[in-house]
Amino acid sequence: MNNNHLPAGTPTETLISLSSSDSRPLYRQVYERIRDAISDGTLKPGDRIPSARALAKEQGVARGTIEEAYGLLNAEGYIQSRGQAGTFIAQVLKPAAVSTPATPPATQLFSEDNWSRPPEIMPFQLGVPALDAFPRKIWARLGARYLRSIQPMELVYPAAEGLQSLRTALAAYLQVARGIQCTAANIFITSGYINSLQLVLQTLLSAGDQVWVENPGYPPSRGVLRSTGLQIAPVAVDEEGLNVAQGLQQAAHARAAIVTPAHHSPLSVSLSLARRLQLLDWASTRQSWIIEDDYDGEYRYVSRPLPALKSLDRDGRVLYLGTFSKVLFPALRLAYVVVPEALTDAFRRNCQIFAGHAPMMTQSIVSSFMEEGHFARHIQRMRRLYSERRSHTLQGLQQALGERVNFIPQPGGMHLLARIPGCNDRELAQRMREQGLSAQPLSTFRVEGPVSDTLLLSFTNISSAQQAETYGRRLLALL
């Protein structure tokens, strides 16, 4: 009798992860997860899978749901029940096994034009906040209240620049939390960071203009620049952030600079005050623009969050881009741009063409969430939670990996930088993906140059040091 269990390093929660937001019935999700795992070799003939009772308890679903999935798998010849011995993957599978698309090579999967975002949350996945800690009950109550009180005028097209109440709430929040003096008239709501950047570029720049970008820096920004016919001028980043002196030497006449001053993406260093003033002086002297991407500036763990670069802008040269993806959840597809007073008319006109027109309901719920104080409290809770999860993740990974990995400390942000001497970060990230772990290779953030030996690992959805150590041992096996 074959008493094999699931393959080592393949816990059921990784193999079978059910989603309530998936349109497919739960039994169908279970069926397809196991079927696909058989097809790609994760489950092999003779492997034992959990009983219907055990899997139902683990996944928090009715036993009948699992039994329905197992019945379908058994009928198609994928599994066999052996009574008290358990349920096993069939030794001889039907020839019409389902084939899954081949995984793209690492150079294709991790590239600037194909920015990798797994369809499901994976361990260490970048850019996903702690969704388990989001106040879903409050959100549901606000949504239900909106639907009960909705008026006919709220069913028409939303205002191009965004809902007035949301823009007012944002102005109040930014003045207190980020030091930005603005009014609702300076704020324009968009459907995400990319939409914000497109709106700014279409309003202020022309094809052929040069734009400074951080090197390394956020790859999708470069993709947007290229798609709009702009020239990329890469500027190195060091421990003080963007090297403004290098930018002046290489492309002093650039029309704009895209920067992440609070926490550089991806190195998480902060732009020093001297560099901030130098950058502002360049923009004022050259009549150029600074596009400040403040994607997670609220999350700093060694001191209070730093004021935004926009707070130092006295000449109206900084455009501030904020997003709700990191502080609430990515599925909102909601972001905003704060523009200087002199540009409000131009942006109001272009919003009719280029803005994403976020749904009125979404904007209204976020507006209420902010007005009633839930937003500020949520940020405070998440800052404490991320500080704890950051420490737990470091502790667990260091316990599992020992001296094989060097962690580069950062003052804030939502991910760790793990340097693994001697590794090819793209190849290792690809192997991790194949084993159910997610990581972003640092080399994909570089404009050019050789592959690096550093991975970006998010800690936001790692709940304990023990969990981090478990994932760390799986990573160790790949090394």
Side-chain angles (χ1 to χ4, degrees):
M1 180 181 295
N2 190 328
N3 290 318
N4 292 341
H5 293 264
L6 290 175
T10 309
T12 311
E13 62 267 23
T14 300
L15 179 66
I16 304 173
S17 177
L18 303 183
S19 172
S20 59
S21 62
D22 195 315
S23 60
R24 296 170 298 170
L26 293 176
Y27 85 90
R28 190 75 190 181
Q29 293 184 46
V30 175
Y31 161 76
E32 292 182 3
R33 297 290 196 281
I34 295 179
R35 181 199 65 185
D36 293 347
I38 294 171
S39 297
D40 65 23
T42 302
L43 290 176
K44 298 178 175 58
D47 286 339
R48 188 169 71 180
I49 59 177
S51 67
R53 182 193 299 274
L55 186 56
K57 182 177 180 180
E58 180 180 296
Q59 296 294 327
V61 299
R63 180 178 175 181
T65 298
I66 306 300
E67 289 177 342
E68 188 170 1
Y70 278 14
L72 187 57
L73 289 163
N74 184 68
E76 295 185 2
Y78 288 105
I79 63 174
Q80 295 175 339
S81 175
R82 300 179 186 171
Q84 293 184 352
T87 303
F88 295 81
I89 304 302
Q91 291 286 359
V92 180
L93 295 176
K94 289 186 176 182
V98 175
S99 61
T100 54
T103 303
T107 53
Q108 179 183 346
L109 185 60
F110 298 102
S111 68
E112 181 177 306
D113 298 326
N114 186 20
W115 186 243
S116 175
R117 288 191 177 95
E120 300 174 357
I121 300 176
M122 299 172 66
F124 306 127
Q125 184 174 332
L126 219 62
V128 181
L131 301 181
D132 61 315
F134 183 75
R136 294 188 296 276
K137 290 184 178 180
I138 294 175
W139 189 264
R141 175 168 54 81
L142 295 176
R145 187 177 71 189
Y146 171 84
L147 291 173
R148 286 194 303 269
S149 62
I150 193 168
Q151 300 298 313
M153 283 305 297
E154 294 175 279
L155 302 177
V156 300
Y157 292 103
E161 60 268 32
L163 189 66
Q164 178 67 27
S165 61
L166 176 57
R167 296 159 69 207
T168 300
L170 273 169
Y173 168 75
L174 292 172
Q175 289 184 44
V176 173
R178 309 301 294 132
I180 299 174
Q181 298 301 313
C182 64
T183 67
N186 304 119
I187 299 176
F188 296 86
I189 306 300
T190 70
S191 61
Y193 166 73
I194 295 300
N195 183 221
S196 295
L197 183 58
Q198 289 172 327
L199 176 62
V200 170
L201 298 179
Q202 294 286 358
T203 304
L204 299 179
L205 303 184
S206 302
D209 286 346
Q210 268 193 323
V211 179
W212 289 3
V213 297
E214 297 166 324
N215 187 28
Y218 188 50
S221 297
R222 301 195 296 268
V224 174
L225 291 173
R226 291 194 175 103
S227 71
T228 50
L230 298 166
Q231 296 184 32
I232 292 173
V235 180
V237 173
D238 57 26
E239 64 277 2
E240 292 188 63
L242 184 79
N243 189 330
V244 181
Q246 185 191 88
L248 291 170
Q249 182 178 6
Q250 295 179 352
H253 297 284
R255 293 287 296 125
I258 302 176
V259 293
T260 51
H263 302 133
H264 169 259
S265 174
L267 301 180
S268 290
V269 297
S270 298
L271 188 64
S272 68
L273 178 59
R275 296 269 179 92
R276 292 177 183 228
L277 296 176
Q278 193 178 9
L279 185 62
L280 288 166
D281 181 67
W282 163 77
S284 179
T285 301
R286 299 287 183 178
Q287 292 295 286
S288 298
W289 305 103
I290 300 171
I291 302 169
E292 177 179 9
D293 175 13
D294 193 25
Y295 63 100
D296 70 352
E298 289 86 354
Y299 299 135
R300 187 175 176 86
Y301 314 113
V302 298
S303 64
R304 293 180 60 83
L306 299 176
L309 174 64
K310 175 70 176 171
S311 68
L312 300 174
D313 181 25
R314 300 294 178 262
D315 299 318
R317 309 311 302 178
V318 179
L319 296 99
Y320 177 91
L321 277 57
T323 177
F324 289 102
S325 292
K326 304 298 186 296
V327 293
L328 294 181
F329 54 91
L332 270 180
R333 307 315 306 139
L334 199 64
Y336 54 93
V337 183
V338 183
V339 309
E341 188 67 33
L343 298 176
T344 54
D345 288 342
F347 271 81
R348 192 173 296 111
R349 289 192 299 270
N350 276 357
C351 271
Q352 302 288 342
I353 305 171
F354 301 113
H357 303 287
M360 183 79 78
M361 179 177 177
T362 301
Q363 296 189 57
S364 182
I365 295 174
V366 175
S367 175
S368 299
F369 195 76
M370 299 186 76
E371 291 169 350
E372 297 179 15
H374 304 301
F375 184 76
R377 288 191 291 271
H378 179 62
I379 295 295
Q380 292 172 359
R381 285 196 300 267
M382 299 305 283
R383 190 180 295 132
R384 291 193 297 269
L385 178 67
Y386 287 163
S387 180
E388 293 173 0
R389 290 190 173 184
R390 182 175 182 251
S391 298
H392 291 159
T393 303
L394 271 171
Q395 178 185 344
L397 289 178
Q398 288 172 336
Q399 182 69 27
L401 299 168
E403 298 181 356
R404 295 292 301 274
V405 179
N406 300 320
F407 291 97
I408 306 169
Q410 306 95 25
M414 299 168 64
H415 66 266
L416 301 172
L417 284 170
R419 184 171 179 270
I420 308 173
C423 89
N424 178 314
D425 61 352
R426 292 193 185 216
E427 292 181 358
L428 179 56
Q430 174 63 28
R431 294 202 304 274
M432 290 177 66
R433 175 65 60 86
E434 293 167 355
Q435 296 300 318
L437 301 173
S438 179
Q440 285 291 348
L442 178 60
S443 60
T444 61
F445 288 79
R446 300 190 187 281
V447 176
E448 55 190 15
V451 295
S452 79
D453 57 3
T454 303
L455 295 176
L456 280 66
L457 305 173
S458 173
F459 54 79
T460 55
N461 285 287
I462 305 296
S463 58
S464 67
Q466 182 179 7
Q467 186 182 32
E469 183 177 349
T470 298
Y471 294 140
R473 295 195 185 284
R474 291 170 59 186
L475 173 57
L476 182 64
L478 297 176
L479 299 180

